[in-house]
Amino acid sequence: MIQLRPSSSYRWTRCAASASFEADQPVEPPSDEAREGTAAAWVADCVLRGDAHDASDMTGETHANGHLVTPDMVFHVQKYIDKVRSYGGTVSTEQFGRLNEFIAGTLDSSIVIFGGTVLRVKDLKYGFEIVDPYQNTQLLIYAAIELIRLGHPAHITHVEMSIFQPRAYHPDGIDRSWTITVNELWQWINWIVERGNECQRPVPVATPGSHRDHCRAAASCVALAHSVYKIFAVVQDVRQQKMTAEELSRELTLISLAKKLIDARKS
């Protein structure tokens, strides 16, 4: 049985073969950016857990991965800590949880329960690559795991899932959220579990797309290669016609998709 991580759910929910493909790839050492993000999450966890009063207490400390906690990191992470603390309620961090027999992982986000009716799932993203909470499968899984851990409390009716990204510019600010009802959450989870079941098939289907970002198996993916080959074709047509704005828009959408596939294969 293939074990599926919430952090890569944006990929395996869209390409059933990606999980088994990646399982056959050698483990790569984490990048400097990944080590930095892990260190930032560690600082937040230590403070919210009560091992330090605030982020500045961690200045000069070194994470187990060798990354140093700098004043700049302290400045940005403290914003996240202050936001989490402003809600009050119970804070839970770095909890390992299981959605089912093949979907499990450590919730590196902070979970805050407040007001009696809303569960807040807040995830610190320290890097610059923009992450949005809307339909974010990782946050959806985290929220479901936390509700299961809490015993499906009837008084919680809504879930607010948010990304806190202190260093990257976004027109919606550094703290972006998406709120749905608990019933809507379970509808999403049913879809996610169905996609997880597809990953367990003897021969899962590979589906190329923008989700191939950071896929370690992209270079050996035949589906991606053949999708690129299909883009190229020689068509003979002597007609000419001025395109409408709507036709241009559709054409640009197709070209953008084709460029993403070609860029993915080239990289």
Side-chain angles (χ1 to χ4, degrees):
M1 180 174 292
I2 300 292
Q3 292 298 306
L4 305 173
R5 296 180 294 113
S7 58
S8 59
S9 59
Y10 71 95
R11 189 161 53 247
W12 54 257
T13 53
R14 292 162 178 81
C15 175
S18 65
S20 57
F21 284 175
E22 288 199 322
D24 294 332
Q25 300 297 311
V27 178
E28 299 177 355
S31 64
D32 289 342
E33 291 78 9
R35 291 168 55 242
E36 183 182 39
T38 299
W42 173 61
V43 172
D45 180 53
C46 287
V47 175
L48 293 172
R49 208 173 50 215
D51 295 340
H53 181 262
D54 55 38
S56 62
D57 294 341
M58 303 289 292
T59 306
E61 296 287 336
T62 302
H63 188 270
N65 65 16
H67 204 284
L68 181 69
V69 178
T70 64
D72 185 63
M73 179 182 291
V74 164
F75 172 76
H76 292 295
V77 174
Q78 188 62 47
K79 294 180 181 179
Y80 172 73
I81 293 168
D82 291 342
K83 186 67 176 181
V84 171
R85 284 175 167 172
S86 71
Y87 298 135
T90 303
V91 180
S92 172
T93 66
E94 295 292 336
Q95 293 277 352
F96 178 82
R98 181 171 291 281
L99 183 62
N100 61 15
E101 66 271 21
F102 51 77
I103 302 175
T106 299
L107 283 63
D108 57 357
S109 57
S110 296
I111 313 299
V112 182
I113 304 166
F114 78 107
T117 61
V118 180
L119 173 72
R120 286 193 172 184
V121 180
K122 204 165 201 67
D123 197 5
L124 173 64
K125 297 295 186 185
Y126 195 68
F128 289 98
E129 183 176 350
I130 294 297
V131 181
D132 280 314
Y134 180 65
Q135 296 185 358
N136 187 307
T137 54
Q138 181 180 11
L139 293 181
L140 287 161
I141 293 172
Y142 283 171
I145 288 176
E146 186 66 4
L147 284 175
I148 292 171
R149 189 183 72 83
L150 294 170
H152 300 276
H155 62 279
I156 295 180
T157 60
H158 289 75
V159 177
E160 180 190 272
M161 292 159 284
S162 59
I163 295 294
F164 195 94
Q165 196 166 12
R167 298 195 299 168
Y169 169 76
H170 192 286
D172 294 333
I174 63 175
D175 189 16
R176 305 179 291 277
S177 63
W178 176 46
T179 302
I180 60 176
T181 67
V182 170
N183 287 337
E184 289 172 329
L185 170 67
W186 292 120
Q187 291 174 14
W188 274 103
I189 293 301
N190 288 337
W191 176 79
I192 290 171
V193 170
E194 287 176 4
R195 299 307 303 154
N197 286 329
E198 291 296 317
C199 298
Q200 309 301 326
R201 291 181 177 274
V203 185
V205 177
T207 307
S210 60
H211 49 269
R212 52 68 188 146
D213 290 347
H214 310 301
C215 179
R216 293 185 294 115
S220 58
C221 180
V222 175
L224 177 58
H226 287 188
S227 294
V228 171
Y229 300 161
K230 278 182 172 289
I231 292 173
F232 182 80
V234 177
V235 179
Q236 295 183 359
D237 197 321
V238 298
R239 292 171 297 173
Q240 184 180 26
Q241 178 179 339
K242 184 177 180 179
M243 300 177 73
T244 66
E246 183 179 352
E247 289 169 339
L248 282 170
S249 176
R250 292 199 300 266
E251 178 82 356
L252 284 172
T253 299
L254 175 62
I255 291 172
S256 296
L257 175 59
K259 183 178 184 301
K260 287 180 180 179
L261 288 172
I262 292 172
D263 287 345
R265 189 60 183 167
K266 180 180 178 182
S267 67

